[in-house]
Amino acid sequence: MKQKRIILVATLMLSVVTAMGQSLNSAYFTEEYKFRHDMNPAFGNEQNYVSIPALGNINVRTQGNFGYKAIFKDNPNPYGNKTLTTFLNPYIDVNTALDGFTNGNNRIVGNVGITILSAGFKSWGGYNTIEINSRTSFGVSLPYELFEFAKNTGNRDYNIGDINVGAISYAEIAFGHSRQLDEKLRVGAKFKVLLGVGRADVKMENVQAQLSDANQWLISADAQADVSFKGFTYKEKTKDFKQKPGSYNYVNDVDVDGAGVGGFGLAVDLGASYKLNDDWSFSAALLDLGFISWSNDMQARNLNKQFIFDGFHDVEITRHGGMRDAGETYSDQLAEFANLQDQGDQGGRTTGIGSTINLGAEYTLPVYRKLSFGLLSNTRLQGKYSWTEARLSTNWKPLNWLDGGLSVGVGSFGASAGWLINIHPKGYNLFLGMDHILGKQTKEGIPLSSKASVNLGMNITW
């Protein structure tokens, strides 16, 4: 299977069209949401359950401070072409082109989580869970100066900074147990075996662009790509030097021939909850504390720390089939900008998977026990892609078989609103919720904002 896909470009394109934990934070305080144990392994359920295969818990989530509408614009060409274009279009003025980007780091993080099979049951003095999950996550961190340089707002030098793109995909087999230690304290833990599918990390550090006397850009940077994926190899293109005889190679394509398990790892979740009295309860959890050891590391580096770059230029994007061709053109431009040379397989490497800290406090109204208010602090620890959020939720349980609520959050990526409906009579469970309401979308259904969240599932209960 061959794919023309520079890792840097592929992840960036994913970020503007679209997975941190497989969880719905709006449901943290909803007692009969069956997958609360994914946010805190101390939580259990009153009901036993088994998930419908691949439909028990599906989570898609992205967060960021820039998105589709920052990159793509309506074409202002005075000849009236009804096409899409990018912020690089020369007919778009600088202020309009850059107003969708944030001074500092422009970031997008996201995940796709699918529960292949899950079961929860009471036994051995507590509540037990068994899960098989598929998890994919990505992160993009791009400095504002990169977009400013791409637009070329003036004949001056640019101190662009650091560029980071990463993605990871793996499966996990998890075994959890929680139990009540006394009337107030409950603890839980979950042990996970991880099967790595693939991981890619691309970084360009201390990137600078200087305009030479020949009106060309001299780029300097320390760039490196590390890809751990079975059957993965780089492909190179030869380019002639412009100001001296000879040529050089740089990575502009990749080849993926087959796939499989590329690594193995372990992780644990730890959690506790404490019921202070009938009105107040508190909880804390540390999730995904673990690693994956990969069997290969296909590495590419820029051996030439300084090189000539022709600059970025706009590509017309038609509304009927032109996105793919434009994507390949931008792939070529970014590949030339990265200027990476294939270094082959460097052997195995070990990487973390990113951890999450959850801290919660819940207050139940004394005069109406079916209503409570919860405050959740959610912190993701993942290097350049770390983020934090505080979410306040109103949780209502009007019937024994129906609960849910509304929530508002604020954090590293701004404000958002969420909701949950959870139906759980004996026999089945159906839930649907969001941490980030989708908002406006393109005609193709692509959210204009990078903040989006959908979580749904169907389970059998008894």
Side-chain angles (χ1 to χ4, degrees):
M1 175 182 178
K2 294 185 178 181
Q3 306 176 23
K4 179 165 183 167
R5 188 176 301 169
I6 299 300
I7 299 302
L8 175 64
V9 181
T11 310
L12 178 58
M13 294 306 293
L14 278 172
S15 73
V16 297
V17 300
T18 349
M20 351 193 278
Q22 186 177 325
S23 61
L24 177 65
N25 290 336
S26 296
Y28 186 87
F29 300 101
T30 302
E31 289 188 0
E32 282 306 310
Y33 171 63
K34 297 297 179 283
F35 294 92
R36 282 212 308 163
H37 55 78
D38 284 334
M39 295 179 281
N40 189 327
F43 293 153
N45 294 309
E46 288 299 320
Q47 295 177 319
N48 300 326
Y49 79 91
V50 61
S51 67
I52 296 176
L55 295 176
N57 185 22
I58 300 173
N59 179 279
V60 179
R61 174 177 178 144
T62 62
Q63 299 181 103
N65 55 8
F66 81 107
Y68 181 95
K69 65 180 180 180
I71 302 290
F72 299 103
K73 315 282 186 182
D74 289 326
N75 196 339
N77 190 316
Y79 297 103
N81 295 333
K82 300 297 182 181
T83 60
L84 283 177
T85 187
T86 71
F87 72 101
L88 299 177
N89 190 299
Y91 289 105
I92 299 177
D93 66 85
V94 172
N95 291 334
T96 301
L98 299 178
D99 65 0
F101 302 106
T102 301
N103 277 314
N105 285 332
N106 290 262
R107 297 187 300 154
I108 295 177
V109 297
N111 76 275
V112 176
I114 299 176
T115 294
I116 300 171
L117 190 63
S118 178
F121 57 94
K122 296 178 181 179
S123 186
W124 305 313
Y127 195 83
N128 310 278
T129 57
I130 302 173
E131 298 174 276
I132 302 175
N133 299 314
S134 170
R135 296 174 61 171
T136 299
S137 64
F138 69 85
V140 179
S141 178
L142 306 173
Y144 176 85
E145 289 77 11
L146 174 64
F147 302 103
E148 190 179 31
F149 165 70
K151 186 64 179 175
N152 189 10
T153 59
N155 294 327
R156 62 182 181 85
D157 297 341
Y158 293 87
N159 184 8
I160 295 173
D162 297 341
I163 298 169
N164 292 273
V165 178
I168 185 172
S169 181
Y170 61 93
E172 62 180 19
I173 304 171
F175 306 90
H177 177 78
S178 66
R179 63 170 57 216
Q180 202 75 34
L181 293 186
D182 55 37
E183 292 183 355
K184 295 185 175 183
L185 180 62
R186 186 179 183 91
V187 297
K190 190 177 292 187
F191 177 76
K192 302 176 180 180
V193 177
L194 309 180
L195 308 177
V197 176
R199 176 165 180 142
D201 298 285
V202 180
K203 62 181 180 180
M204 295 184 69
E205 297 178 331
N206 193 27
V207 183
Q208 299 184 42
Q210 296 176 314
L211 191 62
S212 69
D213 294 336
N215 204 31
Q216 293 177 319
W217 291 108
L218 180 63
I219 306 296
S220 63
D222 290 317
Q224 182 170 311
D226 295 275
V227 179
S228 299
F229 194 93
K230 273 192 173 297
F232 180 96
T233 56
Y234 296 104
K235 297 173 69 175
E236 293 186 324
K237 179 179 179 179
T238 300
K239 185 175 181 179
D240 294 331
F241 289 112
K242 290 192 174 183
Q243 296 179 324
K244 61 180 179 180
S247 61
Y248 66 97
N249 295 334
Y250 70 93
V251 173
N252 82 317
D253 200 352
V254 302
D255 189 4
V256 179
D257 185 11
V261 177
F264 295 90
L266 300 173
V268 295
D269 295 350
L270 303 172
S273 64
Y274 184 79
K275 189 175 180 62
L276 181 63
N277 51 42
D278 291 339
D279 301 335
W280 285 96
S281 61
F282 302 91
S283 58
L286 174 61
L287 310 177
D288 294 325
L289 185 62
F291 66 92
I292 296 178
S293 291
W294 303 95
S295 59
N296 70 338
D297 177 10
M298 305 304 297
Q299 189 176 98
R301 295 166 47 207
N302 67 330
L303 301 181
N304 302 317
K305 302 302 182 182
Q306 289 188 331
F307 55 94
I308 297 295
F309 177 61
D310 294 332
F312 296 99
H313 59 271
D314 183 45
V315 180
E316 184 176 85
I317 303 172
T318 64
R319 295 186 185 275
H320 303 286
M323 183 72 78
R324 179 177 179 180
D325 293 338
E328 290 187 358
T329 301
Y330 285 122
S331 295
D332 291 337
Q333 293 182 37
L334 283 168
E336 190 174 345
F337 178 70
N339 191 41
L340 297 170
Q341 288 83 48
D342 183 10
Q343 300 300 297
D345 189 354
Q346 301 297 305
R349 62 171 177 152
T350 299
T351 65
I353 59 175
S355 300
T356 300
I357 299 174
N358 287 332
L359 301 174
E362 184 179 19
Y363 175 72
T364 303
L365 286 181
V367 295
Y368 187 60
R369 291 291 176 185
K370 296 181 179 181
L371 185 66
S372 71
F373 299 93
L375 180 62
L376 173 66
S377 169
N378 184 224
T379 301
R380 181 67 174 173
L381 304 175
Q382 200 168 14
K384 296 287 186 179
Y385 317 116
S386 299
W387 55 269
T388 186
E389 179 188 76
R391 183 168 292 269
L392 178 65
S393 62
T394 301
N395 316 288
W396 188 34
K397 186 176 182 179
L399 302 170
N400 290 334
W401 53 271
L402 176 66
D403 53 12
L406 303 172
S407 70
V408 292
V410 62
S412 302
F413 302 111
S416 63
W419 57 273
L420 169 71
I421 297 176
N422 186 44
I423 303 170
H424 52 89
K426 283 190 176 181
Y428 73 95
N429 165 234
L430 171 67
F431 65 85
L432 178 64
M434 296 180 177
D435 280 337
H436 308 286
I437 297 174
L438 291 177
K440 293 183 178 181
Q441 304 173 48
T442 68
K443 293 180 180 179
E444 297 78 17
I446 301 171
L448 297 183
S449 168
S450 58
K451 290 189 292 187
S453 168
V454 177
N455 188 276
L456 58 92
M458 293 182 286
N459 304 276
I460 299 170
T461 65
W462 67 94

mmCIF file of all heavy atoms in Angstrom, residues 102 124 132 156 222 227 291 298 305 357 359:
data_model
loop_
_atom_site.group_PDB
_atom_site.id
_atom_site.type_symbol
_atom_site.label_atom_id
_atom_site.label_comp_id
_atom_site.label_asym_id
_atom_site.label_seq_id
_atom_site.Cartn_x
_atom_site.Cartn_y
_atom_site.Cartn_z
ATOM 1 N N THR A 102 -3.416 33.089 15.950
ATOM 2 C CA THR A 102 -3.148 33.623 17.277
ATOM 3 C C THR A 102 -1.677 33.988 17.408
ATOM 4 O O THR A 102 -0.795 33.206 17.023
ATOM 5 C CB THR A 102 -3.503 32.577 18.353
ATOM 6 O OG1 THR A 102 -4.875 32.223 18.230
ATOM 7 C CG2 THR A 102 -3.247 33.130 19.746
ATOM 8 N N TRP A 124 -16.203 -9.775 43.322
ATOM 9 C CA TRP A 124 -14.944 -9.702 44.054
ATOM 10 C C TRP A 124 -14.895 -8.481 44.966
ATOM 11 O O TRP A 124 -13.865 -7.816 45.117
ATOM 12 C CB TRP A 124 -13.758 -9.698 43.092
ATOM 13 C CG TRP A 124 -13.759 -10.881 42.151
ATOM 14 C CD1 TRP A 124 -13.957 -12.185 42.502
ATOM 15 C CD2 TRP A 124 -13.567 -10.851 40.740
ATOM 16 N NE1 TRP A 124 -13.902 -12.980 41.399
ATOM 17 C CE2 TRP A 124 -13.654 -12.187 40.294
ATOM 18 C CE3 TRP A 124 -13.339 -9.852 39.808
ATOM 19 C CZ2 TRP A 124 -13.533 -12.524 38.958
ATOM 20 C CZ3 TRP A 124 -13.194 -10.198 38.475
ATOM 21 C CH2 TRP A 124 -13.301 -11.510 38.063
ATOM 22 N N ILE A 132 -11.490 -3.379 25.456
ATOM 23 C CA ILE A 132 -10.576 -3.350 24.316
ATOM 24 C C ILE A 132 -10.905 -2.079 23.549
ATOM 25 O O ILE A 132 -12.012 -1.913 23.036
ATOM 26 C CB ILE A 132 -10.730 -4.584 23.406
ATOM 27 C CG1 ILE A 132 -10.488 -5.872 24.195
ATOM 28 C CG2 ILE A 132 -9.754 -4.498 22.227
ATOM 29 C CD1 ILE A 132 -10.733 -7.132 23.382
ATOM 30 N N ARG A 156 11.960 41.394 5.075
ATOM 31 C CA ARG A 156 12.695 41.433 6.332
ATOM 32 C C ARG A 156 13.020 40.009 6.756
ATOM 33 O O ARG A 156 12.545 39.044 6.155
ATOM 34 C CB ARG A 156 11.866 42.128 7.421
ATOM 35 C CG ARG A 156 10.561 41.438 7.772
ATOM 36 C CD ARG A 156 9.793 42.215 8.829
ATOM 37 N NE ARG A 156 8.542 41.589 9.212
ATOM 38 C CZ ARG A 156 8.401 40.639 10.116
ATOM 39 N NH1 ARG A 156 9.467 40.166 10.734
ATOM 40 N NH2 ARG A 156 7.217 40.147 10.410
ATOM 41 N N ASP A 222 16.991 23.296 12.858
ATOM 42 C CA ASP A 222 17.292 21.912 13.221
ATOM 43 C C ASP A 222 15.991 21.130 13.090
ATOM 44 O O ASP A 222 15.073 21.290 13.905
ATOM 45 C CB ASP A 222 17.817 21.815 14.651
ATOM 46 C CG ASP A 222 19.202 22.412 14.797
ATOM 47 O OD1 ASP A 222 20.034 22.145 13.912
ATOM 48 O OD2 ASP A 222 19.441 23.141 15.771
ATOM 49 N N VAL A 227 9.430 8.373 12.700
ATOM 50 C CA VAL A 227 8.198 7.631 12.425
ATOM 51 C C VAL A 227 8.414 6.176 12.802
ATOM 52 O O VAL A 227 9.353 5.532 12.322
ATOM 53 C CB VAL A 227 7.779 7.742 10.950
ATOM 54 C CG1 VAL A 227 6.512 6.929 10.688
ATOM 55 C CG2 VAL A 227 7.554 9.200 10.563
ATOM 56 N N PHE A 291 3.790 3.937 28.722
ATOM 57 C CA PHE A 291 4.757 4.076 27.634
ATOM 58 C C PHE A 291 4.493 3.006 26.579
ATOM 59 O O PHE A 291 3.786 2.007 26.823
ATOM 60 C CB PHE A 291 6.185 3.912 28.169
ATOM 61 C CG PHE A 291 6.460 2.519 28.682
ATOM 62 C CD1 PHE A 291 7.008 1.543 27.850
ATOM 63 C CD2 PHE A 291 6.136 2.163 29.989
ATOM 64 C CE1 PHE A 291 7.239 0.249 28.313
ATOM 65 C CE2 PHE A 291 6.370 0.875 30.466
ATOM 66 C CZ PHE A 291 6.927 -0.084 29.623
ATOM 67 N N MET A 298 12.062 5.191 11.958
ATOM 68 C CA MET A 298 12.485 5.682 10.644
ATOM 69 C C MET A 298 12.719 7.189 10.773
ATOM 70 O O MET A 298 11.774 7.958 10.952
ATOM 71 C CB MET A 298 11.429 5.365 9.589
ATOM 72 C CG MET A 298 11.057 3.889 9.515
ATOM 73 S SD MET A 298 12.479 2.798 9.224
ATOM 74 C CE MET A 298 13.002 3.355 7.609
ATOM 75 N N LYS A 305 21.995 22.505 7.466
ATOM 76 C CA LYS A 305 21.335 23.372 8.438
ATOM 77 C C LYS A 305 20.898 24.691 7.831
ATOM 78 O O LYS A 305 20.031 25.371 8.383
ATOM 79 C CB LYS A 305 22.257 23.631 9.631
ATOM 80 C CG LYS A 305 22.697 22.371 10.353
ATOM 81 C CD LYS A 305 21.513 21.551 10.869
ATOM 82 C CE LYS A 305 21.982 20.319 11.628
ATOM 83 N NZ LYS A 305 20.852 19.491 12.082
ATOM 84 N N ILE A 357 -4.765 14.423 34.268
ATOM 85 C CA ILE A 357 -5.118 14.578 35.684
ATOM 86 C C ILE A 357 -6.523 15.158 35.770
ATOM 87 O O ILE A 357 -6.804 16.208 35.199
ATOM 88 C CB ILE A 357 -4.130 15.504 36.414
ATOM 89 C CG1 ILE A 357 -2.719 14.928 36.374
ATOM 90 C CG2 ILE A 357 -4.567 15.731 37.869
ATOM 91 C CD1 ILE A 357 -1.661 15.857 36.947
ATOM 92 N N LEU A 359 -9.512 16.368 38.533
ATOM 93 C CA LEU A 359 -9.872 16.717 39.909
ATOM 94 C C LEU A 359 -11.313 17.210 39.907
ATOM 95 O O LEU A 359 -11.658 18.118 39.135
ATOM 96 C CB LEU A 359 -8.948 17.813 40.452
ATOM 97 C CG LEU A 359 -7.452 17.503 40.490
ATOM 98 C CD1 LEU A 359 -6.663 18.744 40.907
ATOM 99 C CD2 LEU A 359 -7.155 16.342 41.428
#
